[in-house]
Amino acid sequence: MAQELELGGLRFTAGTPRVVAEGLGFCWYPSIRQFSTGELIVSYSLNPDSGENLTNVDGLSLSEDNGATWSRHADVSGLSGRLDISLPDGSLAGPNSPYKPEPLGQWRTFVGNYGRIEKGGQQYTVELWGSRIEGLPRDVNARSVQSPTRWAEISPFGDIIELEPGRFLSTTYMTFAGDKRYSTVVMVSEDEGRSWHYLSTVCGAEAGADSWEGFCEASLVRLQDGDLMCVGRMGGGRDQLLARSYSSDEGKTWSPIDRLPAWGVLPVVKRLSNGALVISTGRPGLFIWFSTDPRGEHWEPFDLMAHHNAEMDAAHQISPGKFGLEPVTRDQYYTVHHNFDQSDQTTSYTSMLEVEPGKLLVVYDRIPYGWMPVPTDAEVRSRILARYPTSTLPPDSMTPDERERIYLLELDLGQL
């Protein structure tokens, strides 16, 4: 049943998870987007979490009723990227992996696919090697093991935001030659995301030297005063707090990073229509962090995993892994979720979207076997989850041969 909550003066309702899609094997790393014509689309990876994959395939699910019901629409190749650019014709577009050096023999210019989904999700196209990254200030490290899906230590893109009509900004993180940690840079595009040019560095490898990995997996948001805020991951685990930086000149320069009380992978930051800032992240756990001050100085956590487990029966429970929410060593962090002995049961990679004022949708996954694929004869399948405040799972959604599932969470937020 729906729960009424209040954090830092912000009241909201959190509901019960609803199935968005289901599958077998791998079904994780969800993203949610909306067409300008109103339809919602959730994409999710059907691939192992490996740089040596020979193929990349994503699943797509669509909703035409603002998320109330979902249909498993298609499995597609060539759209493993950020379709964050809403074009005038109503389509969603953006750069897509894999990224390879072009021309070969150098490590500063890369090309990838360019994808479009049109007609409310009924048609998609892939322009092979139709997007380009150029102007990087240094060589990027080549991967020691290269594959048709991963050539270099470069990971575009974070969320793409539109600074002004036709001018788009995004982050990319990479390991530059000679460095041991990630750097995060800002790229700009003025041709609907086909070509991206280096603009600035948010955080270099040395600035992140007190973390396991350096500043990476960053998300951008426009603040109420017009400044930009960039929030990024700093390693992993509860003792590796997120960091952030501000820019007051449209991303040309950035302030030194400072730390937030939140932790985890792929922080997704949004500014809502009521002025609140929100971050979804986790590992360990799943959390949504709220800030009601305009520059995100103070944050309050909502324990998404605890709420999920309180709402759902035993077949849907999510475990944060062997070590729970306790701080862990680097070796523990990178090994526990690959073990069958109390493995992490969610990637904690989340995605959020405010579909109308006060209605925030959050998607996340459940992976009962950790980073191992779900056996086709397993009784429990991995899920991607989302929530609704007043709905319950329909009786026929639970079957004896339960499969991986995608769900959606809606948070109904009041005014500040």
Side-chain angles (χ1 to χ4, degrees), residues 303-323:
D303 192 331
L304 179 57
M305 182 180 291
H307 177 75
H308 168 89
N309 288 338
E311 291 285 310
M312 304 300 286
D313 63 24
H316 295 265
Q317 297 294 290
I318 299 176
S319 168
K322 182 176 182 179
F323 297 98

Side-chain angles (χ1 to χ4, degrees), residues 171-183:
T171 60
T172 293
Y173 69 93
M174 65 206 70
T175 306
F176 284 118
D179 291 346
K180 296 181 179 180
R181 294 179 179 84
Y182 293 125
S183 295

Side-chain angles (χ1 to χ4, degrees), residues 22 393-399 405:
E22 59 183 24
L393 290 172
D396 62 354
S397 70
M398 297 294 294
T399 59
R405 286 182 175 153

Side-chain angles (χ1 to χ4, degrees), residues 214-249:
F215 191 90
C216 62
E217 294 183 353
S219 181
L220 292 166
V221 67
R222 173 82 75 179
L223 299 177
Q224 182 177 319
D225 63 6
D227 285 359
L228 300 175
M229 183 172 73
C230 181
V231 177
R233 168 181 175 177
M234 297 289 282
R238 190 168 181 172
D239 54 345
Q240 294 281 294
L241 299 179
L242 301 180
R244 54 96 177 273
S245 177
Y246 298 100
S247 174
S248 58
D249 55 8

Side-chain angles (χ1 to χ4, degrees), residues 7 29 59 69 79 99 108 133 161 176 195 202 220 242 253 256 325 367 389 394:
L7 290 175
Y29 300 110
T69 60
L79 289 179
Y99 278 84
R108 297 194 187 191
I133 295 172
I161 64 173
F176 284 118
S195 59
V202 178
L220 292 166
L242 301 180
T253 60
L325 297 180
I367 50 173

Side-chain angles (χ1 to χ4, degrees), residues 247-264:
S247 174
S248 58
D249 55 8
E250 299 293 88
K252 298 182 181 66
T253 60
W254 295 87
S255 67
I257 60 172
D258 66 345
R259 298 303 176 96
L260 298 174
W263 64 85

Side-chain angles (χ1 to χ4, degrees), residues 320-381:
K322 182 176 182 179
F323 297 98
L325 297 180
E326 297 301 317
V328 296
T329 67
R330 179 173 183 169
D331 288 343
Q332 289 171 335
Y333 178 81
Y334 285 115
T335 58
V336 66
H337 52 255
H338 290 276
N339 296 333
F340 284 98
D341 178 21
Q342 298 180 31
S343 59
D344 287 337
Q345 289 188 324
T346 176
T347 65
S348 295
Y349 277 68
T350 58
S351 183
M352 294 188 298
L353 182 68
E354 188 180 23
V355 293
E356 60 185 51
K359 182 177 289 188
L360 179 68
L361 305 183
V362 185
V363 289
Y364 56 99
D365 58 32
R366 180 183 187 272
I367 50 173
Y369 294 90
W371 265 241
M372 308 302 291
V374 176
T376 56
D377 60 350
E379 294 182 0
V380 180
R381 311 297 186 178

Side-chain angles (χ1 to χ4, degrees), residues 133 136 153-158 170-174 176 183-187 196 200 202-203 215-218:
I133 295 172
L136 296 177
E153 298 291 351
I154 182 170
S155 297
F157 285 84
S170 187
T171 60
T172 293
Y173 69 93
M174 65 206 70
F176 284 118
S183 295
T184 290
V185 306
V186 167
M187 311 290 292
W196 294 86
S200 62
V202 178
C203 182
F215 191 90
C216 62
E217 294 183 353

